[in-house]
């Protein structure tokens, strides 16, 4: 064979190798998920890696519908609570896995003041505004802006929240970027730009059961670690008082890890009585960070699955599903009740617009909002 022939074969082989998909490349796949009553088509986008981890995201609510993860024996299960079909997310909203905004968590009386002007939000939590109030980001059809495979599979969703929508000022252009890599990191990045001063506080409201959603034991036996010396204690309306309360010597001390169920029903603690369990913001020791750092670590001793939650934000809301009462049918016909899953929602502190000593939730023109968080899935052997 001539030298030219050999060179041609080698070159062809190299080109073929470059053109072939990487064996461990993460993939993104889109499928129809149904339509809203007005005919708006909703899509489901699944990000998956080569190690059994996959995330299914609905364009409705930018919702994490499922997160599949293997246990120590390699058995894959869905570790987030939710619904099997789009209609249930629309007709029976429970914030399962949704993107919440403009302002995650509670604002007292649904009122805040910005530059001397008062704003009133819808009251959807008795006397408070919760997770945006009214038609929050969890109840809109997001646009699929881009999808790509690669070492990291990526989905970008976009939404414009109009000036005055649900009472908030400013036209807000928002994107949510989901990413999944081969190491089991499911990243979620929130970015927003406004044309007038407003408030923004976004997060994901996934409710986790690392034993697999609907498991017999639920999440009460999970071991939780939160690196926080203090919580922001609440009043009987679940609004922070503005103080920081040390966790030492209380059922809120998760610094060295503790089983969730140990303090869940401890009625001797006034804060547990107010929340009907855990429904509290932890002031993370790390504060605001440039890159995501550890906000919480959750481990299921039975399955070995581990979830680490990392974030750039200063707080994490720990919620034990206290308002799940078996009213609605979840995935696979499961009736979810208190303790069947827990939420770990990294964010700014609740009612921050009304608490000058809390990290500000204000966003101005030319100064975009950004929150990067990661759900890191692994297995403890």
């Amino acid at each position: 064979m001539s030298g030219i022939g050999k060179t041609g074969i080698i070159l062809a082989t190299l080109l073929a190798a470059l053109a072939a998909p990487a064996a461990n490349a993460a993939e993104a796949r889109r499928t129809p998920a149904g339509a809203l009553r007005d005919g708006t088509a909703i899509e489901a986008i699944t990000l998956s890696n080569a190690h059994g981890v996959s995330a299914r995201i609905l364009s409705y609510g930018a919702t994490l519908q499922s997160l599949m993860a293997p246990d120590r024996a390699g058995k894959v299960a869905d570790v987030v609570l939710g619904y099997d079909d789009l209609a249930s997310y629309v007709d029976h909203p429970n914030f399962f896995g949704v993107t919440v905004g403009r302002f995650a968590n509670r604002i007292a009386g649904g009122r805040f003041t910005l530059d001397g002007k008062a704003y009133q939000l819808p009251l959807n939590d008795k006397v408070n505004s919760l997770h945006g109030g009214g038609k929050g980001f969890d109840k809109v059809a997001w646009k699929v802006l881009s999808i790509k495979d690669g070492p990291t599979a990526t989905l970008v969703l976009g939404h414009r929240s109009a000036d005055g929508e649900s009472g908030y000022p400013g036209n807000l252009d928002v994107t949510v970027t989901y990413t999944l890599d081969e190491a089991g990191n499911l990243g979620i990045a929130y970015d927003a730009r406004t044309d007038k001063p407003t408030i923004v506080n976004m997060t994901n409201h996934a409710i986790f059961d690392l034993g697999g959603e609907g498991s017999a034991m639920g999440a009460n036996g999970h071991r939780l670690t939160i690196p926080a010396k203090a919580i922001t204690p609440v009043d009987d309306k679940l609004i922070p008082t503005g103080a920081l309360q040390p966790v030492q010597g209380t059922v809120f001390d998760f610094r060295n890890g503790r089983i969730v169920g140990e303090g869940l029903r401890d009625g001797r603690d006034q804060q547990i009585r107010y929340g009907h369990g855990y429904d509290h913001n932890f002031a993370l020791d790390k504060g605001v960070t440039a890159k995501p750092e550890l906000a919480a670590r959750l481990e299921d001793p039975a399955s070995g699955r581990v979830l680490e939650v990392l974030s750039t934000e200063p707080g994490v809301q720990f919620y034990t599903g206290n308002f799940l009462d078996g009213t609605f049918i979840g995935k696979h016909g499961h009736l979810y009740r208190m303790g069947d899953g827990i939420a770990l929602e990294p964010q700014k502190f609740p009612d921050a617009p009304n608490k000058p000593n809390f990290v500000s939730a204000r966003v101005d023109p030319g100064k975009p909002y950004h929150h990067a968080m990661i759900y890191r899935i692994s297995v403890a052997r």
Side-chain angles (χ1 to χ4, degrees), residues 26-358:
E27 298 180 343
R29 178 173 52 89
R30 61 197 298 178
T31 56
L36 303 181
R37 289 185 179 88
D38 64 1
T40 302
I42 301 301
E43 292 189 82
I45 299 88
T46 302
L47 310 180
S48 57
N49 69 17
H51 304 288
V53 177
S54 66
R56 178 181 165 97
I57 298 105
L58 296 178
S59 59
Y60 180 75
T63 299
L64 179 61
Q65 185 183 19
S66 72
L67 180 59
M68 308 297 293
D71 65 8
R72 65 166 61 92
K75 181 181 178 181
V76 175
D78 188 354
V79 297
V80 295
L81 277 60
Y83 296 118
D84 291 319
D85 61 301
L86 172 64
S88 293
Y89 284 94
V90 175
D91 296 336
H92 307 298
N94 256 311
F95 300 114
F96 292 131
V98 300
T99 291
V100 287
R102 288 189 189 188
F103 193 92
N105 220 308
R106 294 175 174 87
I107 294 180
R111 294 184 298 271
F112 67 95
T113 301
L114 207 56
D115 295 334
K117 183 176 180 180
Y119 295 91
Q120 179 65 57
L121 311 176
L123 303 182
N124 61 333
D125 181 50
K126 298 181 180 178
V127 297
N128 303 315
S129 178
L130 175 66
H131 296 326
K135 190 176 182 180
F137 290 173
D138 59 303
K139 298 178 180 67
V140 300
W142 292 65
K143 293 181 179 178
V144 178
L145 300 182
S146 67
I147 299 175
K148 69 175 183 179
D149 300 331
T152 299
T154 304
L155 162 67
V156 183
L157 299 164
H159 172 61
R160 165 162 272 212
S161 176
D163 184 17
E165 182 177 272
S166 291
Y168 292 90
N171 293 300
L172 194 73
D173 291 306
V174 189
T175 60
V176 178
T177 303
Y178 281 91
T179 57
L180 179 67
D181 64 18
E182 286 302 305
N185 294 302
L186 177 64
I188 312 177
Y190 304 98
D191 292 277
R193 295 177 181 272
T194 184
D195 60 2
K196 69 169 66 171
T198 190
I199 59 170
V200 182
N201 181 33
M202 297 177 62
T203 192
N204 185 275
H205 200 283
I207 299 180
F208 293 94
D209 175 2
L210 298 184
E213 65 79 30
S215 73
M217 300 303 294
N220 286 349
H222 290 13
R223 185 173 185 83
L224 175 65
T225 304
I226 301 178
K229 297 184 183 72
I231 61 168
T232 53
V234 297
D235 61 20
D236 60 352
K237 303 296 190 299
L238 299 182
I239 295 296
T241 63
L244 291 179
Q245 177 177 301
V247 300
Q248 186 170 357
T250 75
V251 295
F252 290 88
D253 192 349
F254 287 89
R255 290 175 294 175
N256 295 315
R258 67 186 301 156
I259 301 301
V260 169
E262 288 179 353
L264 181 60
R265 295 178 174 84
D266 191 342
R268 296 168 297 178
D269 192 299
Q270 179 65 69
Q271 289 297 304
I272 293 292
R273 295 202 299 273
Y274 281 155
H276 304 287
Y278 292 105
D279 191 2
H280 294 77
N281 171 67
F282 285 68
L284 297 169
D285 295 343
K286 72 177 189 63
V288 177
T289 50
K291 296 182 178 180
E293 294 184 13
L294 187 69
R297 182 184 188 275
L298 187 66
E299 179 180 349
D300 174 29
S303 69
R305 293 188 185 92
V306 175
L307 170 73
E308 292 175 292
V309 182
L310 299 88
S311 170
T312 54
E313 293 290 64
V316 63
Q317 185 82 7
F318 169 38
Y319 169 59
T320 44
N322 311 331
F323 298 104
L324 298 178
D325 59 3
T327 302
F328 303 123
I329 300 175
K331 295 174 182 176
H332 310 296
H334 294 146
L335 294 178
Y336 300 137
R337 303 188 67 85
M338 179 184 181
D340 283 350
I342 67 172
L344 296 163
E345 310 157 56
Q347 57 190 269
K348 290 185 170 63
F349 296 174
D351 203 35
N354 297 312
K355 301 292 190 296
N357 57 318
F358 287 175

